Structures are given as C-alpha cells and as structure tokens.
Amino acid sequence: MYSEKVMDHFQNPRNVGKIEDASGVGEVGNPTCGDMMTIYIKVEDNILTDIKFETFGCGAAIATSSIITEIALGKTVEEAYEISRNQVAEALDGLPPVKMHCSNLAADGLKAAIENYWKKNGIDKP
C-alpha cells in the first residue's frame, strides 16, 4: 500500500518540532480525516533556512509533512511556494489515491506559512 519512502518518513520523520521565532507559521487541517498540521519556516535573505512541522494525523500525513520540509529547505520563498501537491506525492514515490489529501495538506501548510511570512512583512503575494 505505501512505498518504502512513505514508511521511512513516517517511521523516521525529519524536521519535527517547532521554531519558536518562526518567520511564518501555517496551520491547516482536514476535518474529514482529522489530520492537523502546522508548518514553521525561518527565512533569511529570502531563503528558507529552517523548516519544522508538528502533525497530528495518519502515517501519510506525517510522511508528507516530513518530505515537504526536505523539498523546501534551502529554496527561495518563491520556489518553495510553487511546490505542488503532486510534487509532494511524487517525492514519496506515490501515495494511495485515498491518501492524496495528505499531500494536499502538506503543500497547503507550506503555502500558508509562506503567506503568513509575507503578511507579517508587508510583502504582496507574487
């Protein structure tokens, strides 16, 4: 059902935790399945220099949270904002169709954190 990458990121999630002085915070949830995700970003010179997550949810939600932190770290804010839901799933070697909403949550959480950063800094969304 799940790829080896999904299982690895679920069992050994990367970048778990909270950034106390985060540049941006994104909170998203899916009321249907109960998954809740918070993404924290640290931005320096327009680069994501740190990213962490806290997720309450299924294995796929934890795995997508973990992988998106690896994909986004080191990218410019604009590059990170363009990470798509499909890119998240593809980076995990796919997700079962019934779990695709989990990749949506990770991508949406990152976008929400970036939008929060832009709002805090008076930056218009490109």
Side-chain angles (χ1 to χ4, degrees):
M1 181 172 186
Y2 290 118
S3 71
E4 285 184 30
K5 272 191 171 178
V6 171
M7 293 306 296
D8 180 41
H9 278 271
F10 166 61
Q11 293 171 334
N12 307 291
R14 282 68 147 181
N15 304 306
V16 176
K18 185 176 190 175
I19 300 174
E20 292 298 333
D21 59 342
S23 304
V25 179
E27 296 181 64
V28 292
N30 184 323
T32 306
C33 67
D35 292 341
M36 300 295 297
M37 187 180 298
T38 304
I39 305 275
Y40 304 89
I41 59 171
K42 186 73 170 175
V43 179
E44 294 174 17
D45 297 325
N46 203 47
I47 303 289
L48 270 67
T49 58
D50 196 8
I51 180 168
K52 298 207 179 307
F53 75 92
E54 295 177 313
T55 295
F56 175 81
C58 66
I62 292 166
T64 59
S65 300
S66 175
I67 196 76
I68 204 161
T69 65
E70 289 194 330
I71 296 169
L73 189 63
K75 292 197 179 324
T76 67
V77 174
E78 294 78 17
E79 288 169 337
Y81 192 78
E82 293 302 316
I83 296 170
S84 73
R85 297 166 169 182
N86 285 338
Q87 285 174 295
V88 174
E90 288 168 10
L92 289 168
D93 295 334
L95 287 170
V98 72
K99 292 295 183 180
M100 281 301 290
H101 66 274
C102 298
S103 68
N104 295 353
L105 208 56
D108 293 349
L110 177 59
K111 283 180 177 23
I114 292 169
E115 288 171 358
N116 177 252
Y117 163 73
W118 284 336
K119 184 178 179 182
K120 282 175 154 182
N121 290 281
I123 300 168
D124 289 330
K125 181 177 163 181

